Amino acid sequence: MMRKIIFLFVFTVFFSCEDNTRVNECFQNSISPINLDLNNPQLNGVLTPTGYSEINGGLAGIILYNGATLGFKAFDRKCPNNDCTSSMSFDGQRLTCPCDKSEYSILTGQPLTEENNGCFAREYNVTQNGTSLRISN
């Protein structure tokens, strides 16, 4: 009897655990992978640490950022505020939504101001193979 109670307890605890993975529910988009060549003159800005380039793709364009030791980062310029139809601007340090002036980190996408809806900026995966970059979900 005691074994059944312990088994039931362990079973309940195991299956009642919650997944704490953060899901960005503000963006429901999926993009086709974007392949880039770092030898392309359009990407000259991203060749130096903390440099960036704006590229086409995503929902409202993409900021490709050279995070130096962190590697390349890619963020959609679509403002996480769903009421905003304007693209975010980038000043070299932070992304800014023009509708509510909310700001987001270029390193993590984390909101930097309280004037946001709790969503992070939409980040894409960037993989590098030599001079080739691939941006994907």
Side-chain angles (χ1 to χ4, degrees), residues 13-132:
V13 169
F14 180 76
F15 284 103
S16 67
C17 292
E18 186 176 315
D19 182 9
N20 292 327
T21 305
R22 178 163 172 43
V23 175
N24 192 341
E25 296 174 355
C26 299
F27 299 100
Q28 301 299 323
N29 71 314
S30 179
I31 64 166
S32 297
I34 300 168
N35 296 306
L36 303 169
D37 186 348
L38 289 172
N39 293 319
N40 183 337
Q42 177 192 5
L43 300 178
N44 281 346
V46 82
L47 296 178
T48 58
T50 70
Y52 70 96
S53 293
E54 294 181 19
I55 61 171
N56 294 327
L59 295 173
I62 295 174
I63 297 290
L64 179 62
Y65 179 77
N66 184 339
T69 57
L70 298 175
F72 291 99
K73 299 283 191 169
F75 287 93
D76 204 298
R77 292 184 59 211
K78 169 90 171 92
C79 187
N81 176 350
N82 292 326
D83 296 335
C84 186
T85 58
S86 300
S87 298
M88 289 194 285
S89 61
F90 182 61
D91 66 3
Q93 296 181 352
R94 65 187 60 86
L95 296 157
T96 304
C97 180
C99 297
D100 61 5
K101 305 298 184 225
S102 57
E103 297 178 341
Y104 302 86
S105 167
I106 192 62
L107 299 177
T108 63
Q110 179 177 357
L112 300 174
T113 54
E114 293 180 19
E115 298 83 17
N116 66 63
N117 59 2
C119 292
F120 283 44
R122 172 66 160 104
E123 182 175 8
Y124 297 110
N125 294 316
V126 181
T127 53
Q128 182 177 8
N129 184 6
T131 61
S132 296

